[in-house]
Structure formats: structure tokens, C-alpha cells
Amino acid sequence: MPLLGLLPRRAWASLLSQLLRPPCASCTGAVRCQSQGEESLQVAEAVLTSQLKAHQEKPNFIIKTPKGTRDLSPQHMVVREKILDLVISCFKRHGAKGMDTPAFELKETLTEKYGEDSGLMYDLKDQGGELLSLRYDLTVPFARYLAMNKVKKMKRYHVGKVWRRESPTIVQGRYREFCQCDFDIAGQFDPMIPDAECLKIMCEILSGLQLGDFLIKMAWKDVRHEMVVKKGLAPEVADRIGDYVQCHGGVSLVEQMFQDPRLSQNKQALEGLGDLKLLFEYLTLFGIADKISFDLSLARGLDYYTGVIYEAVLLQTPTQAGEEPLNVGSVAAGGRYDGLVGMFDPKGHKVPCVGLSIGVERIFYIVEQRMKTKGEKVRTTETQVFVATPQKNFLQERLKLIAELWDSGIKAEMLYKNNPKLLTQLHYCESTGIPLVVIIGEQELKEGVIKIRSVASREEVAIKRENFVAEIQKRLSES
């Protein structure tokens, strides 16, 4: 019998239903036939065995998130939403339109676009006759969209999750499932104007996030390739320019190269340097030239880049007391990918594109670690007013008040209890950071007023019932 006590309620119900079956048609009275009794015992034994097996196996089950993923608590979401709001508002300020694409694409859409990284894609099982893969980034789906819809010009932003089957490095904010924030300009335009705007956007976002000093590095390898392949520059002349680039720099470095007689007498070199000079002129007008530098060591893994690429890195600053140095790598990257759209077009028609991606997961990690070090608390709700009562049997009055607040666009809460204690209600407001409390009780109802209490100062004032919403709106606008 103790053994049977381990059975859950559903197992007992199944067992009893078999044991208490009515007698078969051939039986008389309440006596079961022998065959039915044996059948019932066999069913009971089978149910008992399966339930005991399930009970024994359950303790071995581990509840966890898949490797390289994580849950986001309400505290995490508050931080992420603030960061994403800043990023998206910057994209919109520059005239970008929002868009989205499916979380998965046809596998052939994504293959051969990422070079060696193609092996990191998550492939899905054959569904309905289609071989699919989870999207690896937001750029290739955008190029597919342009080609499929024959779009020649577009400025867009896209915020969404992507998946990469790589070894996660959680301490650097690297996950297998993560969020990307992309801004792209597609279309044929005069040289370097869209490129300069992308760099400007990157600077605006990183400055707005107040992460500390940063530097945007431009890869010399790709600048050299563009000069040699597109401008027809002799490799030895490009390497001469590379000698300068090893010194690192921006505007002043370009000016030095123009003064070199071996470069200034070469037509192709002048054309290539002219594009670089034009870019830095625009960057100077945007006020960000001092944030851009060439770097010989910079390399990007994706195969679709065709021109200058860039990465933004945070500069190491002296850590404050209690802080650990954060090494998260680049926090933004981008570049030109003029040939990607043509890979999807049957006739190979190209649509020049340039864009950038903000590494928000790494930024989330940095902000979260700094808040943890400083002991900063995060409000997980935006509730502005709490509706409370000091007495019993005032649920209906509280519901009337909170409905008026909601209908006026005010964020309000109340406890889901008929008769909550006033101290419990006030403690809830203090613990969650709700700034105002409206109180209704017998005295207030008799006098036709509502008490408004400031949680921070604990000061209370009585306001006429018909004026309490307007008074709250006034206080909230002043805070």
C-alpha cells in the first residue's frame, strides 16, 4: 500500500476505473467473471509499473536554458528596452524605415554568403519539402528582400534575433541566440556620402549610450583591395600607402600621403586617395573625424563585404573601485557590400549597399555589469499611481478610481485583494518605486474627497473627488 501511495491522482483514477468496471453481460449479480478480474489486474499492474518508472526518472530531469541562450528577467528587459529605444530613435532620426524578415530562410538563400562561417548556421529539418536555416544575420535577408521585390533604393533599420551555432562566450556577451540592430542604405549615390552617414550614426549611438571613449577602426586590407581591384592601382603603390597606414591615423594621414611624390604622380593612387580624402572631409563636417582610424590588423569574417569595413571598439579606461576590466571586443561594425543583392538577381543586377550593425548584446552586458557593480536598482514597471484603502469593503470604490486613471492614460495599479492592509499597500509602493498613492476610505467617501500621498515625502493632501485625476496629471507633468 505505501508503494501505491506514490501514484498521482490521475493514475489512481485510471486504476480504479478498471477495478470498478461493471460486470459483463454474462455475469449475474455483483460478481465479476474471472476473465474480467484478471484483465483488471493486468491493467492495474501496467499502470502501476509505468507510473513508478516515471516517478523514478523524474529526479534526473534538469531544468535549464539551451547552451548559449538565456532568460531575460524584468530587470534585464528594462535595461534592454532603454538601449534599444536609443538605438532605434537614432535610426529614425536619419530617415530609416522599419522592416522585418522571417526568422528562417531557405537554406540555399543563406549558403555561400558567409564564407567559413556558413558552417555555423542552424539548419532545420525538412518541413513541407523545403530545406530551411535560421537566419545568421539581418543583412543577407535584406539583400534577398531587395532582389525579390526589385527595390533599387531604400534606407531601413531592422531589430531582430539571429542564431549562430558557435561556441558561446558569455563573459563577452556572445550567445548562440542574440539580438542585432541594423541600419542600411541601398542604392546608387554619389561616393562616400552614405558611408559617412553610417559612421556618423555609429558615433551618435555609442556617444548616447555613454559607454566611455571609443574608436572606429577602418580595415586597411579592404581599402587596399578596393584601390587595387576597382581603381587599378599597382600593388606596390598600394603597399607604399600601407606603410603610412601602419602609423595609424585619419585626416592627417591622408594629407601626408598626398604629399608623397611617389603617390601624387600616380593617377590611380590619386583617385583612391581622393575617395579617402572625400570621406574624411565629410567626417570632419560631421564632427567625428577624430574618432576614425585605419588599422592593419582589422579583419571581418563575412564574405559579402566589398569595400571599406569598420569596427567600433571601446578604449580601455582605468577601472573604478570594485570594477573589473571588461573585454568585449567590438561593439559595432559595418561596411559596404555592393555585390550581395546581385547574387539573388537572375540577371545579376547589383544594388550598392552600405550598412552597420550595433552589437547590442555586448552593450547590454557592459551596462548590466556596471549597474551590478554600482548596486543600481531598476524599476521593472512604469506604474505612476497606486490605488489604496485603509478599510474593508472598499473594493468597488478602488475599482472605480483605477478605471478613471486608466481611462485618462495614467499607469496605475492596485492589490488584487478585497481587504488589503494599508501598511502592506504602502510597503508595495516603496519597494516598487511607485511615486503616488490615492487613498479612499470612509472619511474620504463621506467628504467627497480623495487623498493623494507622495510616497517619497509621505505628505498627504485631500483633493475633491472630481478633481483628483487633473491633480495627478499636474503632479506627474512636473516630476
Side-chain angles (χ1 to χ4, degrees):
M1 188 60 67
L3 195 61
L4 293 176
L6 294 175
L7 288 175
R9 185 177 299 173
R10 284 181 300 177
W12 274 113
S14 176
L15 182 61
L16 290 173
S17 67
Q18 296 296 328
L19 292 175
L20 300 179
R21 284 172 58 184
C24 63
S26 62
C27 293
T28 60
V31 182
R32 291 187 181 86
C33 67
Q34 183 177 357
S35 61
Q36 185 178 5
E38 292 176 353
E39 179 185 352
S40 298
L41 289 175
Q42 291 174 355
V43 171
E45 184 179 358
V47 172
L48 178 61
T49 302
S50 63
Q51 292 298 328
L52 286 176
K53 183 178 179 181
H55 180 81
Q56 293 169 352
E57 292 178 351
K58 191 172 182 179
N60 296 326
F61 178 70
I62 300 175
I63 302 177
K64 63 185 289 292
T65 58
K67 183 180 179 182
T69 67
R70 65 168 177 165
D71 293 322
L72 296 173
S73 68
Q75 289 81 5
H76 287 138
M77 289 304 299
V78 170
V79 176
R80 293 169 78 92
E81 287 174 356
K82 287 183 178 179
I83 292 173
L84 290 176
D85 285 347
L86 186 148
V87 172
I88 293 173
S89 65
C90 180
F91 292 162
K92 290 182 177 180
R93 187 165 61 248
H94 285 262
K97 304 173 183 177
M99 66 167 290
D100 196 8
T101 61
F104 48 84
E105 297 272 352
L106 294 176
K107 183 176 180 179
E108 60 185 314
T109 298
L110 304 180
T111 52
E112 299 182 2
K113 308 298 189 303
Y114 302 109
E116 296 179 356
D117 289 353
S118 292
L120 301 180
M121 292 190 307
Y122 274 107
D123 294 334
L124 305 178
K125 289 185 177 179
D126 185 342
Q127 297 291 332
E130 292 183 332
L131 294 178
L132 308 172
S133 297
L134 291 175
R135 64 188 179 196
Y136 184 86
D137 68 1
L138 302 179
T139 305
V140 172
F142 175 53
R144 187 265 307 154
Y145 174 88
L146 294 175
M148 189 176 78
N149 294 282
K150 296 180 171 55
V151 177
K152 301 300 181 183
K153 287 186 179 181
M154 187 176 185
K155 185 188 291 186
R156 70 99 198 206
Y157 76 88
H158 188 179
V159 176
K161 284 188 175 182
V162 298
W163 294 265
R164 297 185 181 179
R165 192 169 50 85
E166 59 185 350
S167 179
T169 312
I170 308 303
V171 295
Q172 293 184 351
R174 295 177 64 92
Y175 297 89
R176 289 181 164 184
E177 176 189 71
F178 57 96
C179 178
Q180 276 195 338
C181 299
D182 281 19
F183 174 96
D184 294 88
I185 301 173
Q188 186 69 53
F189 302 101
D190 288 341
M192 296 300 170
I193 301 176
D195 306 70
E197 183 172 11
C198 285
L199 291 167
K200 172 64 173 172
I201 290 170
M202 194 177 287
C203 287
E204 286 182 9
I205 291 173
L206 295 179
S207 297
L209 291 172
Q210 299 180 348
L211 301 175
D213 290 336
F214 62 90
L215 182 67
I216 298 177
K217 300 179 179 182
M218 301 171 63
W220 164 246
K221 173 186 175 183
D222 296 276
V223 176
R224 180 188 185 279
H225 175 79
E226 192 168 359
M227 287 183 170
V228 172
V229 175
K230 293 187 177 181
K231 300 295 183 181
L233 186 65
E236 59 271 16
V237 179
D239 292 335
R240 173 60 181 166
I241 299 175
D243 293 338
Y244 285 98
V245 176
Q246 291 184 57
C247 303
H248 298 281
V251 179
S252 59
L253 185 62
V254 176
E255 293 295 341
Q256 288 179 31
M257 288 187 278
F258 267 105
Q259 301 303 319
D260 189 311
R262 284 174 289 183
L263 299 178
S264 61
Q265 295 176 8
N266 186 295
K267 181 181 178 181
Q268 288 82 10
L270 286 177
E271 289 180 2
L273 291 175
D275 284 346
L276 286 177
K277 184 179 180 182
L278 190 62
L279 174 61
F280 275 98
E281 284 179 0
Y282 297 152
L283 298 178
T284 301
L285 293 172
F286 285 155
I288 61 170
D290 61 327
K291 292 291 187 180
I292 314 298
S293 174
F294 288 110
D295 194 321
L296 282 171
S297 63
L298 184 62
R300 298 283 288 157
L302 302 180
D303 272 13
Y304 52 65
Y305 285 116
T306 57
V308 178
I309 64 171
Y310 33 84
E311 278 188 3
V313 295
L314 298 181
L315 300 179
Q316 287 291 341
T317 55
T319 55
Q320 299 178 1
E323 282 190 348
E324 295 183 4
L326 298 174
N327 179 25
V328 296
S330 67
V331 291
R336 182 162 286 281
Y337 52 101
D338 292 342
L340 186 56
V341 177
M343 297 176 69
F344 296 105
D345 191 287
K347 297 182 180 179
H349 292 156
K350 294 184 178 181
V351 178
C353 295
V354 62
L356 64 97
S357 183
I358 303 298
V360 286
E361 295 292 347
R362 295 180 178 183
I363 292 172
F364 294 151
Y365 175 76
I366 294 170
V367 174
E368 289 166 3
Q369 292 303 307
R370 289 182 177 176
M371 292 180 67
K372 183 178 179 181
T373 299
K374 295 178 182 178
E376 295 182 20
K377 292 184 178 180
V378 177
R379 276 200 69 190
T380 55
T381 72
E382 299 180 3
T383 305
Q384 299 164 308
V385 181
F386 188 88
V387 180
T389 183
Q391 280 137 358
K392 295 182 179 180
N393 303 320
F394 268 80
L395 176 60
Q396 291 186 358
E397 295 301 325
R398 284 190 292 145
L399 292 176
K400 291 178 185 177
L401 290 178
I402 201 167
E404 288 186 46
L405 293 169
W406 287 337
D407 293 343
S408 300
I410 297 171
K411 301 165 185 173
E413 278 189 76
M414 57 175 274
L415 290 188
Y416 302 139
K417 295 188 70 175
N418 278 313
N419 302 308
K421 294 181 180 179
L422 181 61
L423 191 60
T424 301
Q425 298 170 83
L426 297 179
H427 280 169
Y428 178 80
C429 296
E430 291 178 354
S431 64
T432 56
I434 300 175
L436 296 176
V437 181
V438 295
I439 301 174
I440 180 72
E442 291 179 359
Q443 189 67 29
E444 290 78 21
L445 189 61
K446 181 179 179 182
E447 297 177 0
V449 299
I450 299 293
K451 279 185 181 177
I452 299 179
R453 176 187 175 99
S454 169
V455 175
S457 65
R458 300 187 178 181
E459 295 179 352
E460 294 182 356
V461 60
I463 302 295
K464 287 185 178 181
R465 174 72 170 77
E466 60 268 22
N467 297 332
F468 92 101
V469 172
E471 176 63 23
I472 288 174
Q473 289 173 330
K474 179 183 175 183
R475 291 190 177 209
L476 293 175
S477 65
E478 294 173 350
S479 62

